[in-house]
Amino acid sequence: METTLRGVGVSHGVAIGEVRHMGTAVLEPPAKQIPAEEAEREQGRARQAVEAVAADLIARGNLAGGEAQHVLEAQAMMAQDPELMADVDRRIAVGSTAERGVYDAFAAYRALLANAGEYLAGRVADLDDVRNRIVARLLGVPMPGVPDSDEPYVLIARDLAPADTALLDPTLVLGFVTEEGGPTSHSAILARALGVPAVVALPGAGELAEGTVVAVDGSTGEIFVEPTADKRAELAAAAAERRAALSASTGPGATSDGHKVPLLANIGGPADVPAAVEAGAEGVGLFRTEFLFLDDSKQAPSEEKQVEAYRTVLEAFPEGRVVVRVLDAGADKPLEFLTPAEEPNPALGVRGLRSLLEHPDVLRTQLTALAKAAKGLPVYLEVMAPMVADRTDAKAFADACRAAGLQAKFGAMVEIPSAALRARSILQEVEFLSLGTNDLAQYTFAADRQVGAVSRLQDPWQPALLDLVAASADAAKAEGKSCGVCGEAAADPLLACVLTGLGVTSLSMGAKAIPYVRATLAKHTLAQCERAAAAARATDTADEARAAAQAVLSGE
């Protein structure tokens, strides 16, 4: 009998297949004591296992490329964290085996993350995966992971670690469903990069029996268990209609009555450029430069290295627009040379622009590198600061840009509610705004973007979040300036119409989403988008907002 479950759809498309479950977690190693004379040998075993796991993560990243590579490199740094390794050595010195020392040290660090504010709590899944890989290697048992199968299947897991998601084979893994995670978790972001339909934050997903046939709709978040022949036909027809619309839609983003909405790509570095170009991106709306800095947490990359990376991206979009975000460090992206070693709540502490203003040499080097990279190119370079709170922040950033001789537009990201509420004030200092809806939702609702338990508050359809988007867009219009969206909200085709109706002037997203958004925008007039936006804002919940907008755009 067909039943329907609902999670959070995070990657478009429909997948129908049999359920296969992720391998079980590594068992807890026994707590046995070792003689003192064996401690040095066990410490060596632990270090070898850590280095091997870090090397494997980096190798997986090199194979995956793009955004997955940056995520896995960050995870490798987590494995090699010197404080963690010092704790492992201490535990082995007082009698623990290598595997038990690793297990207990990671457990202690896990507890610190879980209690250090919800932003850092979202990294627990990544930490668990690193621990499991090290312990498995020490125990000599297979690493739990994606199941072996000769036939295509739908993967079910509690959560997917980046190392697993990055190397999923789309010819075998038709789609995946997780119990945890959120719309902006690593699994969701990598699923969109792979183009694999995915649903996250589905309680009870692990209870689906092995071999059960399910249909996964990554657009709506619905899971149909044992779908009927009629339901399969309905989903297949809808998927065929989507494919036809995608192939028919080309060129710049615009509504059906010709209102232009540039569709830009979010990238992490030069490796992401080919996919953006192939998708028809009209430029880059978010170049996340922090991944350049994650190669070495102890020192910033040289000016020369930065110039090379920036110029590669800028050259790919002649006559196009490239929006670069300066380094956004802190919270879940700590850097030894930049961010404080200890903060009670890093998500609310010294991160983003605050870190850079405390280290003006790092900011100056990055801005100078951007100026040199853009020299002589016809690209339209725009540079923006993360985590701008008020006009004082905006002025400090604009002053730094001018001092570095940067010939570009200066902008501010709207990720903090205060920036949306005082957007006109901020626009006295900068020339454009860019809404980071992921962090804006997190700070508006005090709901971590990585924690599945609060995923309903991370839903970008929340009317309160739409109100803040409207306030920012209205302020930009009043000042004659632009206001784009570079958060994951822009990747939702229906929500892209609503954002357009709210007055947003450009949309930036993962490359895979661009064709879906382009095709959907092309079906509706600007007036329809404005009515859908008004209808969504008149509701009280995310589900009601989505339904109201859908009703307007479908002519109901």
Side-chain angles (χ1 to χ4, degrees), residues 339-393:
T339 48
E342 293 183 9
E343 287 188 291
N345 190 337
L348 301 179
V350 182
R351 65 165 292 198
L353 180 61
R354 298 169 187 174
S355 294
L356 293 175
L357 294 178
E358 287 196 356
H359 297 80
D361 54 321
V362 176
L363 178 59
R364 187 184 311 112
T365 299
Q366 184 170 25
L367 295 175
T368 302
L370 283 165
K372 290 183 178 180
K375 190 173 183 180
L377 297 180
V379 68
Y380 295 96
L381 175 63
E382 301 184 8
V383 182
M384 60 186 181
M387 303 302 292
V388 171
D390 56 16
R391 182 172 179 174
T392 300
D393 280 351

Side-chain angles (χ1 to χ4, degrees), residues 188-204:
I189 291 171
L190 295 178
R192 286 189 286 271
L194 287 167
V196 177
V199 172
V200 301
L202 179 69

Side-chain angles (χ1 to χ4, degrees), residues 406-500:
L406 191 61
Q407 299 297 310
K409 284 188 175 181
F410 318 141
M413 291 200 69
V414 177
E415 300 165 286
I416 304 172
S418 63
L421 295 170
R422 300 288 294 173
R424 287 197 71 172
S425 172
I426 287 172
L427 284 165
Q428 305 310 303
E429 304 294 343
V430 295
E431 298 172 81
F432 69 93
L433 300 177
S434 184
L435 287 143
T437 52
N438 304 346
D439 268 322
L440 185 57
Q442 172 170 260
Y443 290 117
T444 298
F445 297 103
D448 188 279
R449 53 195 282 188
Q450 300 288 340
V451 178
V454 293
S455 62
R456 78 171 185 85
L457 296 172
Q458 262 295 325
D459 192 325
W461 281 95
Q462 284 284 356
L465 189 65
L466 299 182
D467 288 344
L468 292 174
V469 173
S472 302
D474 287 346
K477 183 178 180 180
E479 294 296 328
K481 296 180 178 180
S482 62
C483 177
V485 167
C486 64
E488 292 298 322
D492 179 336
L494 182 62
L495 185 51
C497 293
V498 168
L499 295 172
T500 299

Side-chain angles (χ1 to χ4, degrees), residues 185-451:
S185 64
H186 280 157
S187 293
I189 291 171
L190 295 178
R192 286 189 286 271
L194 287 167
V196 177
V199 172
V200 301
L202 179 69
E207 297 172 14
L208 292 168
E210 191 88 1
T212 302
V213 175
V214 297
V216 179
D217 190 329
S219 300
T220 66
E222 292 174 304
I223 308 294
F224 303 96
V225 183
E226 300 291 358
T228 63
D230 287 346
K231 175 57 72 175
R232 291 191 190 205
E234 176 189 331
L235 291 170
E241 183 181 346
R242 284 178 192 155
R243 286 194 297 271
L246 293 181
S247 61
S249 177
T250 57
T255 59
S256 63
D257 56 341
H259 175 72
K260 293 183 179 180
V261 187
L263 302 181
L264 312 171
N266 294 343
I267 68 169
D272 296 333
V273 168
V277 173
E278 183 182 353
E282 298 168 58
V284 172
L286 173 61
F287 180 0
R288 302 180 180 97
T289 60
E290 60 267 18
F291 292 118
L292 275 170
F293 292 76
L294 291 175
D295 290 340
D296 185 349
S297 69
K298 295 182 180 179
Q299 62 181 2
S302 68
E303 182 181 299
E304 291 73 21
K305 181 178 180 180
Q306 292 188 54
V307 170
E308 181 183 1
Y310 301 150
R311 193 169 181 90
T312 300
V313 173
L314 296 176
E315 287 176 336
F317 295 94
E319 306 292 339
R321 176 186 177 199
V322 175
V323 184
V324 178
R325 180 178 71 189
V326 294
L327 176 61
D328 182 14
D332 67 331
K333 293 169 286 193
L335 296 170
E336 288 183 34
F337 67 88
L338 193 69
T339 48
E342 293 183 9
E343 287 188 291
N345 190 337
L348 301 179
V350 182
R351 65 165 292 198
L353 180 61
R354 298 169 187 174
S355 294
L356 293 175
L357 294 178
E358 287 196 356
H359 297 80
D361 54 321
V362 176
L363 178 59
R364 187 184 311 112
T365 299
Q366 184 170 25
L367 295 175
T368 302
L370 283 165
K372 290 183 178 180
K375 190 173 183 180
L377 297 180
V379 68
Y380 295 96
L381 175 63
E382 301 184 8
V383 182
M384 60 186 181
M387 303 302 292
V388 171
D390 56 16
R391 182 172 179 174
T392 300
D393 280 351
K395 183 179 187 304
F397 177 65
D399 287 346
C401 289
R402 282 187 284 269
L406 191 61
Q407 299 297 310
K409 284 188 175 181
F410 318 141
M413 291 200 69
V414 177
E415 300 165 286
I416 304 172
S418 63
L421 295 170
R422 300 288 294 173
R424 287 197 71 172
S425 172
I426 287 172
L427 284 165
Q428 305 310 303
E429 304 294 343
V430 295
E431 298 172 81
F432 69 93
L433 300 177
S434 184
L435 287 143
T437 52
N438 304 346
D439 268 322
L440 185 57
Q442 172 170 260
Y443 290 117
T444 298
F445 297 103
D448 188 279
R449 53 195 282 188
Q450 300 288 340
V451 178

Side-chain angles (χ1 to χ4, degrees), residues 494-512:
L494 182 62
L495 185 51
C497 293
V498 168
L499 295 172
T500 299
L502 292 172
V504 165
T505 55
S506 66
L507 299 166
S508 189
M509 64 209 76
K512 294 282 187 181

Side-chain angles (χ1 to χ4, degrees), residues 26-32 97-104 135 139:
V26 174
L27 295 176
E28 180 179 347
K32 64 180 183 181
T97 60
E99 47 266 41
R100 188 70 205 191
V102 167
Y103 187 90
D104 288 342
V135 171
L139 290 174

Side-chain angles (χ1 to χ4, degrees), residues 41-123:
R41 178 178 65 85
E42 290 295 288
Q43 288 169 340
R45 285 183 63 227
R47 281 190 291 274
Q48 288 174 2
V50 166
E51 292 304 319
V53 166
D56 178 63
L57 289 169
I58 290 171
R60 285 169 177 258
N62 290 337
L63 284 173
E67 186 144 9
Q69 181 174 3
H70 305 312
V71 172
L72 291 172
E73 287 173 351
Q75 205 177 10
M77 287 174 59
M78 182 183 287
Q80 297 169 305
D81 182 276
E83 290 187 17
L84 256 175
M85 283 311 302
D87 191 21
V88 170
D89 283 342
R90 284 193 294 271
R91 292 173 187 275
I92 294 174
V94 295
S96 287
T97 60
E99 47 266 41
R100 188 70 205 191
V102 167
Y103 187 90
D104 288 342
F106 272 73
Y109 193 42
R110 186 186 199 280
L112 287 174
L113 285 185
N115 294 316
E118 291 185 350
Y119 198 92
L120 284 179
R123 290 293 169 263

